[in-house]
Amino acid sequence: MAEILIAGVGTTTFGDHAGRTGRELFAEARSSALAESAVSSSDIDALYYGNYMGETAERQSHQAPLMASGIGTTGLEATRVENACASGGYAVADGVRAIESGAADVVLVGGLERMTNLETAETTAALARAADELHEGRPGLTFPGAYALLADAYMERFGGTREDLAHIAVKNHENAATNPNAQFHNEISVADVLETPQVADPLGLLDACPISDGAAAAVLISGEYAAEHNLSPAVAITGSGRGTDSLSLQEREDLTRTKAAESAAQAAYSGADVTADDVDVAEVHDCFTIAEVLALEALGFYQPGEAITAARDGETAHDGQLPTNLSGGLKAKGHPVGATGVGQLVELTKLLAGTHPNANAVPGAEVGVTHNAGGTVATAAVHVLEVAR
Amino acid sequence: MAEILIAGVGTTTFGDHAGRTGRELFAEARSSALAESAVSSSDIDALYYGNYMGETAERQSHQAPLMASGIGTTGLEATRVENACASGGYAVADGVRAIESGAADVVLVGGLERMTNLETAETTAALARAADELHEGRPGLTFPGAYALLADAYMERFGGTREDLAHIAVKNHENAATNPNAQFHNEISVADVLETPQVADPLGLLDACPISDGAAAAVLISGEYAAEHNLSPAVAITGSGRGTDSLSLQEREDLTRTKAAESAAQAAYSGADVTADDVDVAEVHDCFTIAEVLALEALGFYQPGEAITAARDGETAHDGQLPTNLSGGLKAKGHPVGATGVGQLVELTKLLAGTHPNANAVPGAEVGVTHNAGGTVATAAVHVLEVAR
């Protein structure tokens, strides 16, 4: 893979930004990323931008040129990517590809979602459109129910308990408590998770990520551009992979594995010339606690059926062998859908660069991975980040 | 630019497909393209897919994996691109880039829109979301009004009449009459255009494209893949360019020029190493008659202020020096938004290959161009196609 460096990252806090517009939130993230990058905005060749539900939430489609306004000339490209909750990760992947193709030296990748401005029922309905309308939406399946089906299938085949899952929520809240960008700063207990109302058996309210507003952005540059401009970013993207699965669950042979993420991970590891064993730290798509289990297995950190106890055993905790979601994850950092995949890049970059408030958990970490999933992992984007040499 | 060949193209008819789903329409276009390509579906590395308003029209976001179902493995990538009416052209551009980057040898590019299943007022509202919600949507500007502002500005500066514009509609209906894929097969007269109700002064009903359903697809392959598989497609994509402008009209210095399209054209011509003078045939984004005028000037075929009389003078007619919209254009072939940019590629490929019903208008044509615009040309994608050598 061509050398692709992360020159700067920026993000808003994730949470409730009542009264702020999407364009304002994105401008905040974009400005932070550009300022950190020391890249002139007029050098940006392209924007790849993830957004999921702008049509519904802000009556605004065609957001890419809006978010590009003011950062460049009319020669700037601006493209919106929508792959449900993986929109941000796919925007990153397309940004990487723009540099790899030689078409661009400087790419802004970003994502945004405004969600809290709708009534919760409207947001739930908008999110449900990421499932197969014919086979899932029309019968009334929403994502808590869909992930509950995955949890059921997993537990039926491999075992595991609600307590096992609760440990994931507890861990991610603990990590978020020290991340100022996170939506939640309250620590929770296993008892809290088990006592909250069931949303869809076996998942309870605290097994689920919240509804969030937020934006994130990163400036990617080619190695040539870095050399020409005397820039030495601390972190590089060395692998980028994507995978796809059937949109509806009914078409899958096996509900206990997320093959789109497996494919994406293989492609990303291959590009980076690393294996799962080389990874020191991970940010994975834990929209529900069970999703973190499926992610850890798809990424090859655990064999199928073995990741369910990882959090309970402390292996993925801040002081474990593979700290996972040190940001707090979607679960506690928040999940502004289109921003999430880019937000993972922002957090992991800071963790590897040593500038993250939780970076002390991973001293000397050299290799990290982000895992971003759309729907019930019908789409997945995986990126390998490494400390730049 | 790397050698990128168009191995096969497919399309549904454009028009009213009441009772058919988007997935069904796209499968029809996809199957036609694959059959013509002689490429095995299992060889497809990636799908780039344009769709504008699926959330609204079919309550279906996250369409890319749905449209990829059944054509490949979980290693297949599938990405939805949304850039309003330029979604299809941007999907083509990203497909080209995937091959250029070396990540893919075979890419399916496609687009789809279902529009007639909504009430007309709902469709108009959904389309209006492609304009700037804050500065244009909220005050009530819809696209007929926005393009009327562009026509007003143009005519005030350069002159021109409603009759001049009417000749564009007449020409494009004449071309559509012999294109079985077109929505309209009725020829119209200048008097018809002038006598129909005004939609937004100076534009009347017949200055506007219709609301349409439809899908289009194309199989792009690398030169290496073609050589390995003994394939000799007739047409290549030799240039791909994109440009961006402010989303709202109020931020532009000059309403008589579409700078996003100018930038896209320059990039595409540069990649193909051609100039406007080399182009034999064009498919341009004539959502309103004035848009064809602006397109012809942005593409460099005419100086600013000079394209208004091109249709009236017969220069862009089937027997003119630069046949434009031989397909019938958006005006008469139809405009299923997300499919349009890919549909232009389908039509132009057939025109250059000599397999289009209107190909007899351009015997010996070697170079063609497609021009696809989003909103009031806040985004634009331009592609140069050439007879493969």
Side-chain angles (χ1 to χ4, degrees), chain A residues 34-126:
Chain A
L34 267 166
E36 183 177 287
S37 74
V39 165
S40 163
S41 69
S42 61
D43 281 359
I44 299 175
D45 299 307
L47 166 67
Y48 277 98
Y49 170 78
N51 177 262
Y52 172 63
M53 51 184 269
E55 295 85 349
T56 306
E58 297 197 284
R59 298 184 301 280
Q60 184 67 72
S61 308
H62 204 197
Q63 291 194 7
L66 185 65
M67 301 307 173
S69 274
I71 54 170
T73 67
T74 56
L76 174 74
E77 295 175 14
T79 307
R80 174 199 173 193
V81 174
E82 185 274 309
N83 267 11
C85 305
S87 299
Y90 271 73
V92 173
D94 273 330
V96 166
R97 182 163 289 169
I99 296 178
E100 284 194 297
S101 74
D105 278 313
V106 181
V107 178
L108 182 70
V109 294
L112 161 82
E113 213 70 58
R114 277 289 279 132
M115 303 176 75
T116 68
N117 50 339
L118 294 177
E119 297 295 323
T120 305
E122 292 175 310
T123 303
T124 299

Side-chain angles (χ1 to χ4, degrees), chain A residues 1-4 96-97 100 236-241 267-268 270-272 383-384:
Chain A
M1 211 174 108
E3 189 178 11
I4 293 167
V96 166
R97 182 163 289 169
E100 284 194 297
I237 299 179
T238 57
S240 177
S270 169
H383 286 91
V384 176

Side-chain angles (χ1 to χ4, degrees), chain A:
Chain A
M1 211 174 108
E3 189 178 11
I4 293 167
L5 297 156
I6 302 171
V9 297
T11 184
T12 65
T13 58
F14 286 5
D16 185 339
H17 286 286
R20 298 184 69 189
T21 60
R23 63 187 77 189
E24 181 188 344
L25 291 172
F26 188 72
E28 180 185 330
R30 187 186 78 192
S31 297
S32 300
L34 267 166
E36 183 177 287
S37 74
V39 165
S40 163
S41 69
S42 61
D43 281 359
I44 299 175
D45 299 307
L47 166 67
Y48 277 98
Y49 170 78
N51 177 262
Y52 172 63
M53 51 184 269
E55 295 85 349
T56 306
E58 297 197 284
R59 298 184 301 280
Q60 184 67 72
S61 308
H62 204 197
Q63 291 194 7
L66 185 65
M67 301 307 173
S69 274
I71 54 170
T73 67
T74 56
L76 174 74
E77 295 175 14
T79 307
R80 174 199 173 193
V81 174
E82 185 274 309
N83 267 11
C85 305
S87 299
Y90 271 73
V92 173
D94 273 330
V96 166
R97 182 163 289 169
I99 296 178
E100 284 194 297
S101 74
D105 278 313
V106 181
V107 178
L108 182 70
V109 294
L112 161 82
E113 213 70 58
R114 277 289 279 132
M115 303 176 75
T116 68
N117 50 339
L118 294 177
E119 297 295 323
T120 305
E122 292 175 310
T123 303
T124 299
L127 290 169
R129 287 181 205 129
D132 186 313
E133 196 274 331
L134 189 60
H135 300 300
E136 298 177 332
R138 232 175 269 190
L141 187 67
T142 58
F143 279 98
Y147 272 91
L149 290 173
L150 298 182
D152 262 344
Y154 186 98
M155 289 176 170
E156 184 176 313
R157 178 154 173 196
F158 298 119
T161 64
R162 287 197 62 211
E163 286 86 342
D164 293 333
L165 294 176
H167 280 277
I168 296 167
V170 170
K171 166 181 70 72
N172 292 348
H173 271 259
E174 188 183 347
N175 290 336
T178 46
N179 182 358
N181 290 325
Q183 183 159 359
F184 296 135
H185 295 110
N186 62 312
E187 296 200 26
I188 59 174
S189 68
V190 169
D192 290 335
V193 181
L194 297 178
E195 284 164 13
T196 54
Q198 292 273 88
V199 174
D201 181 27
L203 302 177
L205 184 64
L206 287 178
D207 287 287
C209 68
I211 288 169
S212 318
D213 305 317
V219 178
L220 311 184
I221 61 174
S222 67
E224 293 73 16
Y225 183 91
E228 279 166 24
H229 292 78
N230 261 329
L231 299 173
S232 307
V235 181
I237 299 179
T238 57
S240 177
R242 322 184 205 194
T244 305
D245 205 342
S246 70
L247 186 59
S248 71
L249 293 177
Q250 66 174 19
E251 293 172 68
R252 299 191 196 165
E253 287 180 18
D254 185 350
L255 292 186
T256 68
R257 295 176 66 175
T258 52
K259 296 196 175 175
E262 291 177 12
S263 297
Q266 284 161 18
Y269 291 156
S270 169
D273 197 19
V274 301
T275 70
D277 289 344
D278 297 317
V279 175
D280 301 310
V281 54
E283 288 286 318
V284 308
H285 196 97
D286 59 328
C287 48
F288 297 92
T289 48
I290 184 66
E292 180 165 312
V293 177
L294 297 171
L296 291 170
E297 296 179 5
L299 291 167
F301 303 136
Y302 291 87
Q303 291 300 307
E306 296 187 355
I308 184 80
T309 53
R312 190 189 71 191
D313 295 343
E315 294 165 1
T316 49
H318 65 92
D319 55 356
Q321 64 204 50
L322 181 71
T324 300
N325 285 328
L326 279 170
S327 69
L330 284 63
K331 174 67 199 82
K333 178 173 187 264
H335 181 27
V337 169
T340 287
V342 185
Q344 292 176 324
L345 192 80
V346 170
E347 299 286 329
L348 187 58
T349 299
K350 292 180 181 175
L351 285 164
L352 290 172
T355 58
H356 194 284
N358 292 340
N360 55 0
V362 282
E366 296 206 334
V367 181
V369 67
T370 63
H371 160 282
N372 185 207
T376 46
V377 203
T379 47
V382 171
H383 286 91
V384 176
L385 272 58
E386 296 186 61
V387 172
R389 306 193 182 273

